[in-house]
Amino acid sequence: MLTIYSEDHRLHHGAAELYRGRLVPCFEMPARAEQVLDRVKAAGLGAVVAPDPLDRAALARVHAEDYLAFLETAWDEWQALGETGDALPYAWPATGLRRDVPPEHIDGKLGFYSIDAAVPITAGTWRAITSSAACALTGARQIVEGAASAFALCRPPGHHAGARAMGGFCYLNNAAIAAQYLRDNGAGRVAILDVDYHHGNGTQSIFYDRGDVFFASLHGDPAVEYPFFLGHADERGEGDGLGANRNFPLPWGTSGADYLSALDAALADIAAFAPDMVVVSLGVDTFAEDPISHFKLHGPDFAEIGRRVAGLGRRTLFVMEGGYAVADIGANVAHVLTGFAGA
């Protein structure tokens, strides 16, 4: 299984995020990707390559042009104010406020184009997030060209990013960008399986009214868990996408056995959809020791996830998402990938 990785991810290293009323060191840090890379190499999964040059047009197939322009210029606008620390939003267009007129000032833009304050923008953010998207696109190209599987070691992650908003450590939606690339290059139908602890709200919203991309997500119940405002079981898609969206919200304390039971249901839905190719948003923050999550999965459970995904018998692209127990993230990712490869 080829792994695609860019060292440019290190250019994005936020100093702090707002978490439960406090500014705390960012849970999403460069060491995450480095740990995963080390364990992938140790597992002998295959070659590790740099991504292809970015095709910016592929970003615009998923994200709004004004949002991309904001991400590209935000740091320069922030610096023009004389600021030296990270740029963080502090005001949002919540219910009752206008959402149709983007502000001209960078403080307003940061809130307009975000859903929370876990998305610091630094001097290297644009280069890091575009290299992350390039990893996903390169993996998707490998799948189109016939590879049975590939692993895009994306950092920063992407599944909370919507067409026009960043949030939850995510800026560009790597899985959605990859899925759209697959559709644009021969796949009639694509399924996205999101196994991250947190609901992939951005991915769901991007494809919610489309019937050609099926989205299934297993995650902490939004009644008590981030992102709170999406991910309920009754969200089944709309318009042409009605029936092509399936959420499995699970309670705090979910065990490996209960998680795998829900996974079987999600995989059955995907099999019924009969996709040509599959994208897996691979978060391992379902791990029992993850600092910001509440499921109870362990190493053997992750290997079983990989084996069961392999049972779909489809060409599959894994795209890295969350996982914040840094010392264990690499082992957990390697368990999934080796489970898949050995099935």
Side-chain angles (χ1 to χ4, degrees):
M1 181 186 298
L2 187 71
T3 293
I4 305 95
Y5 168 82
S6 171
E7 294 190 355
D8 283 351
H9 78 87
R10 296 190 181 105
L11 299 173
H12 173 74
H13 191 179
E17 63 178 89
L18 183 63
Y19 181 70
R20 292 181 178 167
R22 296 175 292 123
L23 278 176
V24 300
C26 291
F27 291 101
E28 203 291 296
M29 62 185 72
R32 297 175 60 253
E34 293 159 7
Q35 288 277 359
V36 172
L37 180 66
D38 287 346
R39 291 306 292 259
V40 164
K41 288 180 176 178
L45 280 163
V48 178
V49 301
D52 301 334
L54 178 72
D55 176 8
R56 185 188 171 109
L59 306 184
R61 293 286 290 138
V62 166
H63 293 288
E65 285 286 0
D66 63 305
Y67 175 61
L68 294 175
F70 156 73
L71 289 173
E72 187 171 12
T73 62
W75 179 251
D76 290 339
E77 291 186 50
W78 184 249
Q79 277 200 309
L81 298 178
E83 301 288 353
T84 56
D86 296 352
L88 274 174
Y90 68 87
W92 292 270
T95 303
L97 300 179
R98 292 191 64 171
R99 306 183 187 202
D100 59 326
V101 183
E104 296 180 6
H105 193 279
I106 185 59
D107 283 338
K109 289 181 182 180
L110 287 164
F112 185 84
Y113 291 112
S114 68
I115 65 172
D116 59 41
V119 276
I121 290 180
T122 74
T125 297
W126 174 250
R127 187 168 161 186
I129 63 178
T130 51
S131 71
S132 186
C135 288
L137 285 166
T138 304
R141 178 181 61 78
Q142 291 287 331
I143 299 299
V144 166
E145 293 178 357
S149 60
F151 173 43
L153 208 180
C154 296
R155 182 190 171 265
H159 71 150
H160 294 306
R164 209 177 179 207
M166 58 186 182
F169 317 138
C170 302
Y171 304 81
L172 296 174
N173 194 311
N174 304 310
I177 291 166
Q180 185 61 52
Y181 179 93
L182 296 177
R183 282 288 293 114
D184 291 340
N185 289 274
R189 309 179 78 155
V190 175
I192 302 173
L193 171 65
D194 193 322
V195 296
D196 190 278
Y197 174 77
H198 302 94
H199 179 251
N201 58 286
T203 313
Q204 173 173 305
S205 65
I206 287 167
F207 295 114
Y208 201 62
D209 61 354
R210 289 174 51 173
D212 58 333
V213 179
F214 188 93
F215 177 69
S217 177
L218 290 75
H219 51 268
D221 190 333
V224 295
E225 192 56 79
Y226 181 91
F228 299 110
F229 310 113
L230 216 58
H232 297 278
D234 63 351
E235 297 160 12
R236 300 302 300 268
E238 62 185 17
D240 292 342
L242 185 61
N245 197 88
R246 189 81 162 90
N247 287 321
F248 295 84
L250 301 169
W252 284 4
T254 292
S255 67
D258 288 342
Y259 186 91
L260 291 169
S261 178
L263 177 64
D264 285 342
L267 292 173
D269 286 343
I270 291 173
F273 180 73
D276 299 299
M277 301 170 188
V278 173
V279 176
V280 177
S281 272
L282 179 54
V284 293
D285 42 358
T286 50
F287 180 52
E289 304 301 323
D290 195 274
I292 57 174
S293 305
H294 300 279
F295 286 176
K296 301 299 180 184
L297 274 64
H298 297 277
D301 301 313
F302 291 110
E304 189 61 29
I305 289 171
R307 282 191 286 271
R308 296 192 189 193
V309 171
L312 287 170
R314 300 300 198 279
R315 283 181 277 170
T316 302
L317 172 64
F318 292 90
V319 176
M320 191 69 220
E321 301 286 3
Y324 308 101
V326 175
D328 300 284
I329 184 175
N332 292 331
V333 169
H335 283 313
V336 175
L337 300 180
T338 55
F340 179 92

